[in-house]
Amino acid sequence: MNSQDVKAAIEKISQRGGLSNAGRAISFVTKNFFSKVNGNRGGAPNVAVVMVDGWPTDKVEEASRLARESGINIFFITIEGASENEKQYMLEPNFANKAVCRTNGFYSLTVQNWFSLHKTVQPLVKRVCDTDRLACSKTCLNSADIGFVIDGSSSVGTSNFRTVLQFVANLSREFEISDTDTRIGAMQYTYEQRLEFGFDEYSTKSDVLNAIKRVGYWSGGTSTGAAINYALELLFKKSKPNKRKLMILITDGRSYDDIRIPAMLAHHKGVITYAIGVAWAAQDELDVIATHPARDHAFFVDEFDNLYKIVPKVIQNICTEFNSQPRN
């Protein structure tokens, strides 16, 4: 718990010898170091500094991808790079760029020899402390403002509305919720619209789940287009600039008003929209509301009681989209 004890523990480490399996080391660190069981703190950035003598003797790409997706920022320090005649034995010649979160040189340091290693301490500390540039701290579960747009029309009914709220809670539960991580907001609509709670109202998961539970069923018509406009104006206006904006709209019927222009506006403003249709919802409308490609952003279930089944798929698609963003 203090630097003196850490220093003493480091000095007790004995050299093991053997191969330079950096890939296996990164896998081990991902699974074991950065867990709550071992004292990992949710709000602090996760950083791994990997020191390699020459080049890794195994592959690092896949292990590093999993580390990045877990929110770990890998810094690679390469000491005495491979000589010309050794390069032919390298499994991944460009291993540092395959491992790091951004290929802009921020995460990679090259040291000519072991005697120069001490010179990297200050540059490395400076980079590790630059939390704004630790791009891998952002994961699909901790870096979004998610606005739920909930159909409260008469066709839903009280019992089914509670099932919809349970679905909203089940999705919310998957995210890391706080002021600095993912934030949740919700609105309900019929012919009219009502903001249930905004992004800045609740900053803990338990508070968000309790707020969802308290939402009262409204009943009325189905103006989905007006609801999307309202969400953009009242909900997403308060979204943070560095957050991904996700709209998850749940409806059970065809809209009485035009949805095309509001949906286009949402896409134009960078709001990633997931359309969840139940029972009498129109697939053609879901496809228009959903961000392109619709097959990844539009879902349909035949009855309310089956909503819970698509929770893993929705989360998976949100994460797949996030992780497919370019790293450069």
Side-chain angles (χ1 to χ4, degrees):
M1 289 302 176
N2 60 67
S3 54
Q4 209 173 342
D5 288 349
V6 171
K7 190 165 181 275
I10 291 168
E11 283 168 357
K12 283 180 193 162
I13 296 171
S14 57
Q15 186 185 3
R16 295 195 53 178
L19 297 170
S20 177
N21 288 326
R24 284 176 66 186
I26 291 166
S27 292
F28 179 84
V29 161
T30 304
K31 287 176 192 157
N32 297 285
F33 276 34
F34 297 101
S35 65
K36 281 182 184 169
V37 177
N38 284 331
N40 193 30
R41 297 165 298 160
N46 290 334
V47 173
V49 178
V50 183
M51 288 183 276
V52 182
D53 172 21
W55 78 96
T57 49
D58 66 349
K59 291 192 173 183
V60 301
E61 186 172 16
E62 181 60 15
S64 301
R65 182 183 66 79
L66 292 171
R68 287 197 304 272
E69 289 175 10
S70 303
I72 301 166
N73 299 274
I74 297 173
F75 284 85
F76 245 103
I77 300 179
T78 310
I79 304 140
E80 295 181 353
S83 61
E84 282 306 314
N85 66 337
E86 289 172 327
K87 282 183 179 172
Q88 60 183 311
Y89 301 114
M90 290 173 70
L91 292 172
E92 287 179 325
N94 199 17
F95 69 87
N97 278 347
K98 289 179 178 179
V100 297
C101 205
R102 291 282 185 273
T103 55
N104 55 8
F106 180 74
Y107 288 92
S108 306
L109 293 103
T110 306
V111 183
Q112 294 307 312
N113 54 58
W114 287 96
F115 299 109
S116 306
L117 189 57
H118 68 278
K119 293 178 185 172
T120 65
V121 172
Q122 287 312 314
L124 179 63
V125 168
K126 200 173 174 187
R127 293 181 198 192
V128 169
C129 290
D130 191 351
T131 52
D132 288 340
R133 291 186 70 186
L134 295 179
C136 270
S137 295
K138 294 181 173 68
T139 71
C140 59
L141 302 178
N142 73 6
S143 58
D145 280 341
I146 302 174
F148 288 97
V149 179
I150 305 164
D151 181 350
S153 58
S154 305
S155 55
V156 176
T158 309
S159 172
N160 287 333
F161 189 75
R162 302 321 301 173
T163 306
V164 170
L165 292 184
Q166 188 57 56
F167 172 71
V168 171
N170 288 344
L171 279 174
S172 300
R173 203 174 273 113
E174 296 294 319
F175 292 89
E176 292 167 33
I177 296 169
S178 78
D179 280 339
T180 54
D181 294 310
T182 287
R183 303 186 306 165
I184 306 284
M187 58 161 284
Q188 185 181 170
Y189 75 95
T190 57
Y191 280 133
E192 299 173 275
Q193 307 84 33
R194 182 170 78 197
L195 183 68
E196 301 294 353
F197 55 91
F199 295 130
D200 50 4
E201 276 187 61
Y202 303 109
S203 57
T204 69
K205 192 175 291 191
S206 60
D207 284 350
V208 165
L209 296 176
N210 284 330
I212 292 166
K213 220 179 278 180
R214 288 195 300 269
V215 172
Y217 175 50
W218 209 1
S219 187
T222 313
S223 294
T224 308
I228 294 169
N229 280 334
Y230 183 89
L232 295 176
E233 279 302 309
L234 260 90
L235 205 49
F236 289 98
K237 262 277 168 68
K238 292 194 173 176
S239 185
K240 290 183 180 177
N242 63 337
K243 296 281 184 187
R244 288 164 75 240
K245 301 178 186 70
L246 300 184
M247 183 192 299
I248 300 178
L249 184 143
I250 306 134
T251 182
D252 81 324
R254 189 174 281 280
S255 179
Y256 294 162
D257 64 355
D258 173 63
I259 50 135
R260 287 181 182 275
I261 292 168
M264 278 171 59
L265 188 60
H267 303 159
H268 178 70
K269 286 180 180 256
V271 178
I272 302 161
T273 309
Y274 288 82
I276 316 288
V278 193
W280 304 279
Q283 187 66 55
D284 60 322
E285 285 193 352
L286 298 177
D287 290 348
V288 169
I289 293 165
T291 292
H292 180 79
R295 67 174 181 274
D296 295 333
H297 299 87
F299 296 82
F300 179 83
V301 293
D302 51 0
E303 51 188 75
F304 286 92
D305 286 343
N306 289 331
L307 271 170
Y308 77 94
K309 291 180 181 176
I310 64 168
V311 170
K313 185 64 181 161
V314 175
I315 297 294
Q316 184 189 334
N317 285 19
I318 288 170
C319 286
T320 301
E321 178 170 59
F322 178 86
N323 293 325
S324 68
Q325 292 173 337
R327 289 195 294 122
N328 294 324

